[in-house]
Amino acid sequence: MNVIIMKKGFNIVLILCGCALSIHAQNVNIPDANFKAELLANEAINTNLDNEIQLSEAAAFTDTINVVFKGIVDLTGIEAFTSLTGLNIAYNSLTTPLDVSSNTQLQYLNCAHTTINDLTVSANTILTYLDCSSNNALTALDVSANSALEYLNCSYTGISSLDVSDNNALEYLDCSNAQLTTLDLPTAGVLVELNCENNVLNTIDLTNQPDIEVLNIRNINISTLDVTSNLALRTLFCNSNPLYTLDVSQNLALERLTCPYTFLSSLDVSANVNLILLNCMGNDIAEIDVTNNVNLELLDISYNNNIKEIDVSANTKLKNFNCSFNDIDELDVTNNIDLVTLTFFRNNIQEIDLSNNTQIEILKFDRNDIEELDVTNLVKLRILDCSANKITDLDLSNNPAFVNLTAYTNGMQSLNVKNGNNVNVTYFSTFNNSGLTCITVDDADYSTQNWGTSGYVDATTSFSENCEDSDLGMNNFAKQNAIIYPNPATTSFQIQYDGEIKTYVVYNYMGSLVDSGVGNTVFVEHLAPGSYILHVESIDGVYFQGFFVKG
């Protein structure tokens, strides 16, 4: 009897142990705590809301697992999700290779920024989207079995060779900033956008890509480029390649063309009437005709050095225009009323009419020969660089948005920046204008403290709320053959003048009287360091004014 009871008890124990083992075997092994926590928190996966993910739960899940930025290092357990259609594990630092061979229903995979060094997707034949970008340790990628692939981003990786010749469904390919030396494109593809910039490909064959609309091949070291069969092309970026020639005469749909530093000596865009953006800076082009490109909004022909004239009168939609570092003598922008940015550094331009350009916010033209500048109508002007010209008078009082001025080396004598917005000025430079003795500003104290000590304003220049009325801007010592010596002075200076000095009066930069006296010697030991104005009356009734600096 006891033997029978013992046998029954033993069988019960066996049954219970078997049940426990069976239950444990039904759970998915997920060693990464962060990964497991995310899966448990997803009620579409953890349907019974317990503390484990059962194999049945994993197999039943048909949606996307999204675990971006979750601190996951191990993806073990993902193999149990055999019906998974999407996986986004971007911005995690995985310490093991990524193998999704068990996830045969996967259509979307994003493993960007995951530090992986190996990726296996050969079993994922219905995969349409793959982003494995920004994984520097990833040196190889095989997508030959992924015939359904439509989107592939493997940029910023260590991949040296990429073959997508069998991926004829591919519409988007970004393999830029990798280590590519070879790239095989789809043989009969529908590729719409290709970005392979910053590689060392040396050659690229686009003859089988009739649908391509966006092509970015900047800096891939190619010396020839044939896009004559790519009639759908809308955007072409081919910067920094030694091309020497470029034919875009057949690309009538072209809207954006950038070809800086491609050693071009000529460029014909007369057929590209849809062009919105043209940047051909840094070449050796001597002349360019943009009269047919009436839709242009951005034009950059800078750093060509040889261009002597440019006609933009027909480009009435132009918003950004840069023709710097050329040999242009005349520039007419009166028709370009939508201009927002105008730049023409280092040319030979002597005059510019901006009366119609009321939308300009940025105006830069240092090192020209301009003598007069009227910006009265430029009420949106924020940044002005007119340095190294011949401008003697400049009035920015009608430019309330102005916050940045570079106006050094002009021979300037009068400057009014009293626009009610001086406190928002971030940069102010007027040095090497010895005749500019006073600048009219909103608040003389503020400008002296914030601009006068910057080193970008001459020591002989002072600030006043009204230079004209206070006569602070006049320096007529030279007209009277008078000299202040030494200047700057630490203890005293002499007024060297052919006649006899009756009286002198000293004012500070605010126009306040700080000293007065008689005779030709002025003692300044008691004055604080800074700039001062000296009013002089001679014995024969001649009045004149000069400036000195107390060191």
Side-chain angles (χ1 to χ4, degrees):
M1 187 72 173
N2 289 334
V3 172
I4 295 172
I5 292 173
M6 288 178 66
K7 285 184 177 180
K8 286 183 177 179
F10 181 70
N11 289 336
I12 291 171
V13 170
L14 287 176
I15 292 170
L16 290 174
C17 289
C19 290
L21 289 171
S22 176
I23 292 171
H24 181 73
Q26 290 175 356
N27 294 335
V28 180
N29 177 32
I30 310 170
D32 189 293
N34 292 331
F35 185 34
K36 186 173 183 179
E38 290 299 318
L39 296 178
L40 290 174
N42 189 335
E43 295 183 8
I45 297 174
N46 186 18
T47 54
N48 61 7
L49 302 180
D50 65 358
N51 293 323
E52 298 291 340
I53 301 297
Q54 281 72 52
L55 287 169
S56 57
E57 289 177 319
F61 186 67
T62 60
D63 206 341
T64 298
I65 292 177
N66 192 337
V67 286
V68 178
F69 270 123
K70 298 302 180 181
I72 297 169
V73 297
D74 187 349
L75 214 64
T76 298
I78 195 65
E79 66 278 359
F81 291 82
T82 54
S83 299
L84 187 69
T85 57
L87 176 60
N88 188 351
I89 55 170
Y91 295 96
N92 288 285
S93 298
L94 300 183
T95 57
T96 57
L98 180 59
D99 186 347
V100 287
S101 299
S102 299
N103 312 103
T104 55
Q105 299 305 303
L106 207 59
Q107 299 174 36
Y108 174 96
L109 173 58
N110 186 346
C111 54
H113 296 273
T114 51
T115 68
I116 57 173
N117 58 13
D118 188 69
L119 174 62
T120 303
V121 290
S122 54
N124 309 99
T125 56
I126 63 172
L127 191 68
T128 60
Y129 183 105
L130 173 59
D131 186 347
C132 57
S133 62
S134 300
N135 287 297
N136 294 329
L138 186 63
T139 57
L141 180 64
D142 182 3
V143 290
S144 57
N146 309 104
S147 57
L149 203 60
E150 298 175 359
Y151 178 103
L152 173 58
N153 187 348
C154 56
S155 62
Y156 293 94
T157 61
I159 297 172
S160 59
S161 178
L162 182 63
D163 185 353
V164 290
S165 57
D166 293 330
N167 305 96
N168 288 320
L170 198 61
E171 296 181 3
Y172 177 96
L173 172 59
D174 187 348
C175 53
S176 62
N177 299 283
Q179 305 295 322
L180 291 181
T181 56
T182 60
L183 174 61
D184 295 316
L185 294 175
T187 52
V190 291
L191 199 61
V192 175
E193 184 167 347
L194 170 61
N195 181 0
C196 58
E197 70 172 344
N198 296 325
N199 284 287
V200 192
L201 293 174
N202 298 320
T203 61
I204 188 164
D205 185 359
L206 300 167
T207 53
N208 293 323
Q209 315 305 322
D211 297 328
I212 199 161
E213 297 181 10
V214 180
L215 178 60
N216 184 354
I217 53 173
R218 289 181 285 205
N219 191 33
I220 61 172
N221 201 39
I222 58 172
S223 57
T224 58
L225 176 62
D226 184 359
V227 290
T228 54
S229 62
N230 308 106
L231 305 184
L233 197 62
R234 294 187 297 107
T235 299
L236 172 58
F237 299 153
C238 57
N239 315 19
S240 303
N241 288 291
L243 295 176
Y244 291 94
T245 61
L246 179 61
D247 183 1
V248 290
S249 60
Q250 303 303 311
N251 308 103
L252 305 185
L254 200 61
E255 296 176 355
R256 294 171 179 82
L257 171 60
T258 69
C259 51
Y261 305 105
T262 47
F263 299 92
L264 299 182
S265 57
S266 63
L267 180 63
D268 183 359
V269 289
S270 57
N272 310 105
V273 296
N274 292 307
L275 268 183
I276 297 172
L277 180 154
L278 173 59
N279 183 349
C280 57
M281 67 176 290
N283 284 288
D284 297 312
I285 298 171
E287 58 182 61
I288 187 165
D289 184 356
V290 291
T291 54
N292 287 352
N293 311 108
V294 295
N295 292 303
L296 270 181
E297 295 181 9
L298 185 150
L299 175 61
D300 191 338
I301 57 171
S302 60
Y303 291 89
N304 273 282
N305 300 316
N306 299 320
I307 296 177
K308 295 185 179 300
E309 58 181 10
I310 180 71
D311 182 0
V312 290
S313 59
N315 310 106
T316 56
K317 296 181 181 180
L318 206 58
K319 294 181 179 179
N320 299 280
F321 179 35
N322 188 347
C323 59
S324 302
F325 288 85
N326 279 288
D327 197 22
I328 300 171
D329 293 326
E330 296 182 2
L331 183 62
D332 184 355
V333 291
T334 53
N335 284 358
N336 311 107
I337 60 174
D338 289 335
L339 270 178
V340 175
T341 301
L342 174 61
T343 311
F344 53 98
F345 291 146
R346 297 190 184 228
N347 281 282
N348 310 311
I349 298 169
Q350 297 181 359
E351 59 182 7
I352 186 79
D353 182 357
L354 301 172
S355 56
N356 293 340
N357 308 105
T358 58
Q359 302 303 306
I360 285 183
E361 296 180 15
I362 301 174
L363 176 61
K364 299 182 177 181
F365 58 90
D366 76 0
R367 291 172 176 81
N368 278 273
D369 296 315
I370 292 179
E371 297 181 1
E372 295 183 4
L373 179 64
D374 184 356
V375 291
T376 306
N377 293 342
L378 278 57
V379 294
K380 295 183 178 181
L381 186 66
R382 295 185 298 108
I383 299 173
L384 172 61
D385 185 347
C386 59
S387 53
N389 279 274
K390 299 176 181 179
I391 301 169
T392 56
D393 302 292
L394 180 60
D395 188 350
L396 293 172
S397 61
N398 200 47
N399 308 98
F402 130 74
V403 293
N404 187 309
L405 173 64
T406 307
Y408 62 83
T409 314
N410 264 289
M412 198 171 288
Q413 297 179 9
S414 172
L415 175 59
N416 185 350
V417 295
K418 190 174 184 177
N419 66 347
N421 192 41
N422 287 179
V423 293
N424 291 314
V425 171
T426 56
Y427 185 81
F428 192 88
S429 172
T430 60
F431 68 89
N432 202 24
N433 284 293
S434 58
L436 184 60
T437 53
C438 183
I439 300 175
T440 301
V441 295
D442 292 344
D443 185 322
D445 281 339
Y446 175 86
S447 296
T448 300
Q449 294 169 9
N450 290 275
W451 307 344
T453 59
S454 67
Y456 298 115
V457 177
D458 292 322
T460 54
T461 300
S462 59
F463 300 97
S464 171
E465 283 88 352
N466 196 331
C467 291
E468 185 176 348
D469 286 353
S470 63
D471 252 1
L472 295 176
M474 295 179 59
N475 185 350
N476 51 11
F477 251 58
K479 292 182 180 180
Q480 302 300 326
N481 294 317
I483 299 174
I484 297 175
Y485 183 83
N487 189 9
T490 55
T491 57
S492 65
F493 62 80
Q494 293 291 316
I495 304 172
Q496 298 180 357
Y497 175 60
D498 291 340
E500 184 179 348
I501 302 300
K502 180 181 179 182
T503 60
Y504 66 81
V505 180
V506 178
Y507 296 90
N508 64 14
Y509 61 87
M510 290 288 293
S512 300
L513 177 68
V514 294
D515 196 12
S516 63
V518 297
N520 292 62
T521 302
V522 179
F523 294 95
V524 296
E525 239 178 342
H526 61 291
L527 298 179
S531 299
Y532 293 88
I533 304 99
L534 178 68
H535 286 261
V536 176
E537 179 185 1
S538 70
I539 198 72
D540 50 359
V542 177
Y543 294 88
F544 50 99
Q545 176 176 281
F547 301 87
F548 71 90
V549 175
K550 163 64 190 309

